[in-house]
Amino acid sequence: MMNLKSLAFALFQAVAVYGYANPGACSGACIIHDPALIQSADGTYYRFSTGGNIAVASSSSINGPWTSRGSVLPSGSKIDNSGKNDPWAPDVTKVGDLYHVYYSVSTFQTQISAIGLATSPTMAEGSWTDRGSIGVSSTTGNQYNAIDANLLIDGSNKYLTFGSFWEDLFQVTLNGDATQATSTPVNVAFDPAGEHSVEGPTLYKYGNYYYLFYSWGKCCHYDTDMPGVGEEYRIKVCRSTTPTGNFVDANNVSCRNGGGTVVLESHDYVYGPGGQGVYTDPTLGPIIYYHYIDTRVGYADSQKTFGWNKLDFSSGWPKV
């Protein structure tokens, strides 16, 4: 009788969607979850990820070899909820003279959540200051889940987009130094079908448009609870001429009514790509980075791998 992994691989092979470039090479510390990427002034890549109290790695190349550089929050977060000793889903941006890492404090499949901030002038190990909550949190019964934050700086304006399941993605504005929310959350994306499986937003400006990337589908525990065919993680996008709403997909379907154009999904040995970010690399141009399951290795969350691809916006819609 076929075991779970063999069955999953057979189903995957039967419906695999080809035509996507496979991920760029990765060496060194490549087994990660929810990556966030930035470069320092000297061009060194720094990568942050879920696990290890926001693990940090660095490399002179996006391909690696990646070397572990400790944790952002080695003692956990000062935010006092049940997830404080295992902060999640970092997002990194340079704001003025400081590097900002926004993080989530929560417990899987609950709404008891908050978004926190740590800052550093250098990103060196031991240099991070935990500033605690930015004033965005949720409790049972809220419309949203306060995790998976992403910051976009657009001129003097700072937009923080966040959310996961429930009523999906929301947005607030932040103050001048991007340390506190200055507005109430506004919904920017919602899938009314099924479990409302939209999370992990990335708001990225390119040309005249603001692109709202997000992860859709079941993210985790593939080794013990495989999703139905086509229900696994993938990356979708909508766009708008403003950063604050009216996002639509390539078919002009609203992102608040189930819209979303697929950017990257399972193909070849890549299964369930998601947890993405988008970064303007000074050499490569726009890239999308993410984690994925390498079906040649295994389906456990502890086996998720760092991947990246260049993005082509020439059609007006990002393509891998």
Side-chain angles (χ1 to χ4, degrees):
M1 186 173 182
M2 192 177 286
N3 65 32
L4 179 63
K5 291 184 181 178
S6 298
L7 176 60
F9 186 71
L11 289 171
F12 164 67
Q13 290 289 85
V15 299
V17 180
Y18 295 97
Y20 299 104
N22 281 332
C26 187
S27 64
C30 295
I31 303 301
I32 63 161
H33 198 146
D34 300 330
L37 191 69
I38 199 169
Q39 284 176 278
S40 61
D42 67 1
T44 300
Y45 290 88
Y46 283 81
R47 192 194 62 205
F48 302 81
S49 56
T50 292
N53 285 333
I54 308 297
V56 187
S58 69
S59 174
S60 60
S61 165
I62 194 171
N63 292 320
W66 289 96
T67 301
S68 296
R69 301 294 184 195
S71 302
V72 172
L73 300 169
S75 300
S77 171
K78 65 170 60 176
I79 297 172
D80 190 17
N81 77 26
S82 60
K84 67 181 182 180
N85 293 317
D86 184 23
W88 293 348
D91 176 75
V92 61
T93 309
K94 192 173 186 185
V95 182
D97 294 328
L98 292 175
Y99 295 94
H100 284 214
V101 167
Y102 299 90
Y103 63 86
S104 309
V105 175
S106 185
T107 305
F108 196 64
Q109 293 184 324
T110 77
Q111 276 184 284
I112 310 301
S113 306
I115 296 169
L117 170 65
T119 60
S120 167
T122 64
M123 297 188 287
E125 187 173 358
S127 69
W128 293 94
T129 298
D130 184 10
R131 294 172 176 257
S133 174
I134 63 165
V136 179
S137 61
S138 60
T139 59
T140 302
N142 274 24
Q143 291 178 297
Y144 52 82
N145 193 10
I147 67 171
D148 293 359
N150 168 255
L151 177 67
L152 172 70
I153 300 175
D154 187 32
S156 62
N157 299 311
K158 298 172 178 68
Y159 303 99
L160 192 87
T161 311
F162 66 93
S164 173
F165 288 68
W166 280 271
E167 294 187 30
D168 294 332
L169 305 185
F170 286 74
Q171 186 182 89
V172 294
T173 55
L174 299 185
N175 60 357
D177 62 1
T179 58
Q180 287 291 309
T182 57
S183 67
T184 56
V186 175
N187 183 245
V188 292
F190 178 63
D191 186 346
E195 295 182 343
H196 319 302
S197 53
V198 172
E199 63 182 3
T202 301
L203 187 59
Y204 181 75
K205 187 178 183 181
Y206 190 88
N208 295 322
Y209 288 101
Y210 297 84
Y211 293 87
L212 180 62
F213 295 82
Y214 60 89
S215 299
W216 180 96
K218 179 178 170 62
C219 72
C220 309
H221 307 314
Y222 297 150
D223 56 335
T224 58
D225 184 20
M226 283 295 295
V229 175
E231 297 298 315
E232 77 277 7
Y233 237 23
R234 64 197 57 200
I235 301 169
K236 294 186 177 184
V237 71
C238 290
R239 74 181 189 186
S240 174
T241 55
T242 74
T244 56
N246 300 317
F247 295 96
V248 297
D249 68 12
N251 294 317
N252 207 38
V253 177
S254 171
C255 215
R256 292 188 64 195
N257 191 31
T261 297
V262 174
V263 178
L264 185 64
E265 58 193 326
S266 300
H267 64 281
D268 198 6
Y269 60 83
V270 174
Y271 184 80
Q276 79 297 318
V278 180
Y279 176 63
T280 304
D281 188 286
T283 302
L284 299 167
I287 63 167
I288 188 166
Y289 57 86
Y290 49 89
H291 66 244
Y292 69 96
I293 284 294
D294 186 331
T295 59
R296 302 167 301 182
V297 177
Y299 288 81
D301 291 343
S302 60
Q303 295 171 309
K304 288 181 176 175
T305 300
F306 177 64
W308 68 273
N309 295 88
K310 294 176 68 173
L311 282 177
D312 179 3
F313 284 86
S314 60
S315 72
W317 288 95
K319 298 183 184 302
V320 170

